């Protein structure tokens, strides 16, 4: 069970975490700057996060 | 609870008379808990509610088994007795492998032929749950549709569901596909959204249902999305795949395979995302529940109970969010397929 | 791969069948009527909004019309009053003029009659004076022709006058 792929999985999770965290943070900044565009920013944020997540999951299953 | 290790293992472990060292016991518990959690995320051939492990008694429904192995075989899943018995049908013997919960051909004495796996079209727990949810959805939305006959103002359940329908139309379909083109996709988007949401919510019930966290369902949905995208794709869509406008010719040639891969990867990502999110949610919740009762310390158990409650709330949100994301991305792909040149 | 092991063709088949059945049933029996109802209502609402706006505009127009009418009426009334006043002053002035004329006429006729009287009086006076003159002249002539000499002298003188002529 404990093999290199586990480390790879850990790395993937770290990467995806950083990626989604950055998206979330940027979205927060954007909403703070333009509260009237909250809906649009949220949608774009969710899509971007979902895409990164998808890649992350694909990599996790490959690992 | 519902762990049925295969017979060989049972001989080794289930006999409590065997003395085990503390370390062995810990490792055994750990493996058993893991198996318990994983088992609950899987489809099964019977609808179990409660299992008494020490007496090996199961309370629940048996479900029909339909196999194709050089001809169809029909029998009740009770003939398997949860993997303990060999079922005989039309001169062939079948056994439920409790390891992967799949049906194999075997000989009279239960020796499994690993290579001989019949086509399994059984009405499993997931099929039953999906069917029931479909029925519920049909009756619910049919009722809502009927309620508009008396007057145009929403009444009853329509008051709750109409804003969601309008949200999908105005916030998901129209911005991504366009006012005119979105009309033909609305039925699919609405159905897929409510289908995923309702099944996600069904997974939140304590019946151990996990339909959306199963690859078969997400693959079916992703395949249908792929088929609709491909068959409704207009000239512009195919142009973007095979001869990307506005790029130099060598780039166009390089882009062809990339775009072709992208065509397949998009629905594949849809499939994996929903599956992994729901499965991960169930696994985390299962682990937390295991943690609640595996600590012999009221404080720790209480803390994990609180955490489980918190995770449940998060999962409720995730149930809606995943349905939203699936619908949103589907709309995005449809939008790309039906976009006219003016949009770019 | 682990993923493929987990994948069950049968379950995939049933899920696809159930989903497609649900899709077609809901499309026919639920989404179409629901979306139609929602659309219909939205159209109705926007229509009634447009109509309300139209009605308001009409009301405004009518108000403006009313005001115009009122203005016209007022103007007419003012005109009438003015006319009446004018007529009254005219009548008064006419009456005054007539009175004046009559007066002057009367005055003129009075003057005429006075003049006529005067002429008559003068004539009478003339006649009287003539009669007196004749009487006086008779008396003078009688006295002058009272003697022969005087007659002769006169006849001579007359004869002379004739000769001379």
């Amino acid at each position: 069970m404990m093999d290199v792929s586990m480390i790879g999985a850990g790395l993937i999770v770290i990467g995806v975490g950083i990626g989604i965290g950055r998206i979330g943070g940027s979205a927060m900044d954007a909403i703070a700057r333009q509260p009237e565009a909250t809906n649009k920013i949220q949608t774009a944020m969710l899509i971007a996060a979902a895409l990164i997540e998808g890649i992350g999951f694909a990599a996790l299953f490959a690992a | 609870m519902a762990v049925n290790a295969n017979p060989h293992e049972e001989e080794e472990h289930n006999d409590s008379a065997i003395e085990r060292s503390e370390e062995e016991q810990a490792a055994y518990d750990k493996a058993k808990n893991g198996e318990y959690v994983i088992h609950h995320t899987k489809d099964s051939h019977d609808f179990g509610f409660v299992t008494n492990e020490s007496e090996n008694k199961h309370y629940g429904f048996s479900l029909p088994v339909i196999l194709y192995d050089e001809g169809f075989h029909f029998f009740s899943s009770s003939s398997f007795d949860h993997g303990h018995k060999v079922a005989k049908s039309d001169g062939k013997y079948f056994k439920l492998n409790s390891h992967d919960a799949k049906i194999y051909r075997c000989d009279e004495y239960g020796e499994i032929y690993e290579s001989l796996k019949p086509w399994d079209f059984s009405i499993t727990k997931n099929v039953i749950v999906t069917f029931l949810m479909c029925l519920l959805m049909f009756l619910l939305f049919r009722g809502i549709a009927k309620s508009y006959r008396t007057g145009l103002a929403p009444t009853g359940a329509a008051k709750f569901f109409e804003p969601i329908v309008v949200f999908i139309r105005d916030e998901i379909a129209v911005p991504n596909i366009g006012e005119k083109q979105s009309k033909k996709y609305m039925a699919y988007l609405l159905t897929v959204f409510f289908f995923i949401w309702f099944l996600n919510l069904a997974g939140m019930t304590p019946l151990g249902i996990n339909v959306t966290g199963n690859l078969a369902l997400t693959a079916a949905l992703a395949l249908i999305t792929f088929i609709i995208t491909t068959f409704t794709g207009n000239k512009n869509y195919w142009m973007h795949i095979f001869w990307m406008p506005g790029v130099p010719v060598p780039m166009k040639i390089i882009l062809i395979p990339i775009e072709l891969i992208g065509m397949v990867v998009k629905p594949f990502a849809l499939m994996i995302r929903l599956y992994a999110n729901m499965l991960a949610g169930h696994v985390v919740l299962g682990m937390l529940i295991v943690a609640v009762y595996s600590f012999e310390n009221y404080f720790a158990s209480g803390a994990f109970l609180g955490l489980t409650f918190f995770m449940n709330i998060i999962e409720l949100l995730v149930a809606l969010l995943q349905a939203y994301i699936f619908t949103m991305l589907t709309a995005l792909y449809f939008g790309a397929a039906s976009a006219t040149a003016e949009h770019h | 791969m682990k993923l493929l092991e987990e994948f069950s063709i049968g379950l995939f088949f049933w899920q696809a069948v159930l989903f497609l059945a649900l899709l077609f049933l809901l499309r026919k029996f639920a989404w179409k009527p629901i979306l139609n109802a929602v659309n219909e209502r939205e159209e109705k609402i926007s229509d009634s909004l447009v109509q309300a706006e139209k009605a308001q505009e009409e009301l405004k127009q009518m108000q403006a019309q009313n005001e115009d009418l009122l203005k016209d009426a007022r103007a007419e009334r003012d005109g009438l009053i003015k006319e009446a006043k004018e007529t009254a002053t005219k009548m008064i002035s006419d009456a005054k003029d007539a009175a004046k004329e009559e007066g002057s006429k009367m005055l003129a006729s009075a003057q005429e009659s006075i003049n006529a009287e005067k002429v008559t009086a003068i004539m009478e006076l003339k006649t009287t004076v003539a009669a007196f003159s004749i009487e006086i002249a008779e008396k003078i002539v009688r006295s002058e022709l009272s003697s022969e000499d005087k007659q002769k002298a006169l006849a001579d003188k007359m004869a002379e006058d004739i000769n001379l002529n």
Side-chain angles (χ1 to χ4, degrees):
Chain A
M1 281 288 266
M2 273 301 286
D3 53 7
V4 189
S5 72
M6 285 295 197
I7 298 169
L11 287 174
I12 292 161
V13 172
I14 291 171
V16 169
I18 292 172
I20 293 180
R22 276 189 59 89
I23 291 170
S26 308
M28 288 293 158
D29 285 348
I31 290 171
R33 206 168 295 140
Q34 279 179 290
E36 69 278 3
T38 306
N39 276 340
K40 276 185 183 174
I41 294 167
Q42 265 173 350
T43 311
M45 176 188 83
L46 282 177
I47 291 174
L51 290 175
I52 290 188
E53 201 187 43
I55 294 169
F57 277 128
L60 266 185
F61 279 105
Chain B
M1 278 163 88
V3 179
N4 300 304
N6 93 21
H8 305 294
E9 267 185 357
E10 272 174 35
E11 276 167 34
E12 280 173 18
H13 298 299
N14 252 11
D15 191 354
S16 50
I18 293 175
E19 288 286 323
R20 270 191 289 245
S21 75
E22 227 167 86
E23 260 174 56
E24 269 174 354
Q25 180 66 41
Y28 170 70
D29 281 348
K30 200 175 152 192
K32 217 175 82 154
N33 285 339
E35 210 173 322
Y36 155 72
V37 172
I38 297 300
H39 173 87
H40 267 242
T41 64
K42 281 196 174 148
D43 196 8
S44 74
H45 283 84
D46 62 310
F47 206 126
F49 297 123
V50 180
T51 306
N52 187 334
E53 207 182 330
S54 52
E55 290 171 37
N56 209 355
K57 270 189 182 161
H58 303 265
Y59 302 94
F61 300 108
S62 299
L63 296 170
V65 175
I66 304 167
L67 300 175
Y68 182 78
D69 193 359
E70 296 156 1
F72 281 103
H73 301 268
F74 302 94
F75 50 93
S76 162
S77 72
S78 59
S79 333
F80 287 131
D81 193 19
H82 306 275
H84 298 298
K85 277 189 194 153
V86 172
K88 189 179 178 234
S89 168
D90 281 341
K92 288 198 171 71
Y93 297 97
F94 299 100
K95 190 168 176 12
L96 183 69
N97 186 350
S98 47
H99 252 341
D100 57 4
K102 288 199 190 292
I103 295 170
Y104 289 90
R105 275 275 289 283
C106 65
D107 63 14
E108 224 175 317
Y109 310 103
E111 200 56 45
I112 287 170
Y113 302 125
E114 284 280 350
S115 56
L116 289 175
K117 225 161 85 180
W119 293 92
D120 185 356
F121 289 103
S122 303
I123 307 297
T124 58
K125 186 168 153 184
N126 276 3
V127 178
I128 286 286
V129 171
T130 311
F131 178 74
L132 289 176
M133 288 319 267
C134 284
L135 199 66
L136 172 73
M137 279 173 72
F138 179 71
L139 293 176
L140 176 66
F141 289 111
R142 178 85 192 113
I144 290 173
K146 269 185 182 161
S147 78
Y148 285 107
R149 279 191 199 153
T150 50
L152 282 178
T155 47
K159 265 185 195 157
F160 179 73
F161 285 103
E162 194 202 285
I164 302 174
V165 171
V166 173
F167 174 83
I168 291 170
R169 189 191 62 181
D170 292 346
E171 304 293 325
I172 296 179
V174 172
N176 287 314
I177 307 175
E179 175 95 51
K180 224 174 96 190
Q181 281 99 341
S182 69
K183 288 216 168 78
K184 61 181 169 185
Y185 297 116
M186 274 314 291
Y188 180 69
L189 292 177
L190 285 166
T191 313
V192 99
F193 177 83
F194 285 110
F195 187 67
I196 295 175
W197 189 29
F198 275 48
L199 282 171
N200 282 349
L201 289 179
M204 296 301 298
T205 58
L207 294 172
I209 298 162
N210 182 30
V211 184
T212 39
N214 192 299
L215 212 49
L217 175 113
T218 61
L221 293 182
L223 186 71
I224 295 166
T225 294
F226 175 72
I227 289 171
I228 294 178
T229 315
T230 310
F231 280 92
T232 61
N234 58 12
K235 207 179 85 194
N236 203 47
Y237 172 67
W238 294 111
M239 185 92 148
H240 269 78
I241 289 171
F242 289 114
W243 209 243
M244 181 72 86
V247 249
V249 173
M251 268 307 276
K252 284 183 180 181
I253 293 161
I254 297 169
L255 276 175
I256 291 171
I258 295 177
E259 287 285 337
L260 279 177
I261 292 170
M263 248 176 83
V264 182
V265 163
K266 281 172 183 173
F268 189 78
L270 273 184
M271 169 182 95
I272 294 291
R273 178 178 308 109
L274 181 59
Y275 163 65
N277 267 299
M278 296 326 291
L279 181 65
H282 278 87
V283 169
V284 168
L285 269 178
M287 292 292 185
L288 286 172
I289 291 167
V290 166
V292 170
Y293 64 76
S294 52
F295 280 97
E296 284 161 5
N297 175 333
Y298 286 117
F299 183 71
S301 287
F304 273 107
L305 196 63
L307 203 57
T308 309
F309 180 71
F310 174 69
M311 269 312 285
N312 251 309
I313 304 284
I314 296 271
E315 280 300 305
L316 272 179
L317 181 72
V318 167
L320 182 61
L321 193 70
Q322 287 305 320
Y324 169 68
I325 286 178
F326 195 102
T327 316
M328 184 83 195
L329 289 172
T330 299
L332 213 63
Y333 300 153
F334 288 167
S338 63
T340 44
E342 295 94 71
H343 284 223
H344 292 273
Chain C
M1 243 173 84
K2 227 182 133 196
L3 263 182
L4 280 178
E5 263 171 48
E6 186 136 322
F7 186 76
S8 156
I9 289 280
L11 187 55
F12 171 78
F13 167 78
W14 284 119
Q15 301 280 24
V17 166
L18 282 172
F19 178 79
L20 286 175
L22 182 72
L23 174 62
F24 286 111
L25 282 175
L26 282 185
R27 190 167 84 158
K28 186 147 188 259
F29 292 110
W31 304 135
K32 250 186 200 163
I34 290 175
L35 286 173
N36 280 346
V38 170
N39 278 342
E40 207 178 306
R41 195 179 54 218
E42 274 167 7
E43 260 165 41
K44 214 174 181 179
I45 288 171
S46 65
D47 273 6
S48 14
L49 277 178
V50 166
Q51 249 163 3
E53 218 159 278
K54 228 191 243 168
Q56 216 161 15
E57 213 150 281
E58 247 165 59
L59 199 74
K60 234 183 230 173
Q61 229 166 9
M62 260 162 76
Q63 259 169 352
Q65 242 168 7
N66 275 356
E67 220 147 281
D68 276 2
L69 273 173
L70 218 67
K71 220 190 251 173
D72 279 0
R74 230 174 256 156
E76 210 170 321
R77 190 196 61 186
D78 286 353
L80 277 172
I81 289 173
K82 211 173 153 191
E83 216 172 299
K85 255 185 202 163
E86 258 168 33
T87 320
T89 42
K90 207 183 158 202
M91 271 167 85
I92 290 170
S93 68
D94 276 3
K96 266 184 191 165
D97 283 356
K100 234 184 230 170
E101 215 171 303
E102 196 86 345
S104 59
K105 242 188 214 165
M106 274 166 81
L107 222 67
S109 74
Q111 223 148 15
E112 230 166 80
S113 65
I114 287 168
N115 277 349
E117 297 269 314
K118 213 162 112 184
V119 170
T120 324
I122 290 171
M123 292 285 258
E124 251 172 58
L125 202 65
K126 264 183 191 167
T127 323
T128 318
V129 169
F132 278 143
S133 308
I134 291 168
E135 219 173 300
I136 294 164
E138 204 187 301
K139 275 172 186 169
I140 294 168
V141 167
R142 254 177 215 176
S143 64
E144 280 219 5
L145 292 174
S146 49
S147 62
E148 283 279 339
D149 299 338
K150 275 180 186 179
Q151 282 176 359
K152 212 196 159 194
L154 190 57
D156 284 346
K157 199 193 167 193
M158 280 192 179
E160 207 178 314
D161 276 351
I162 294 164
N163 284 343
L164 276 170
N165 276 340

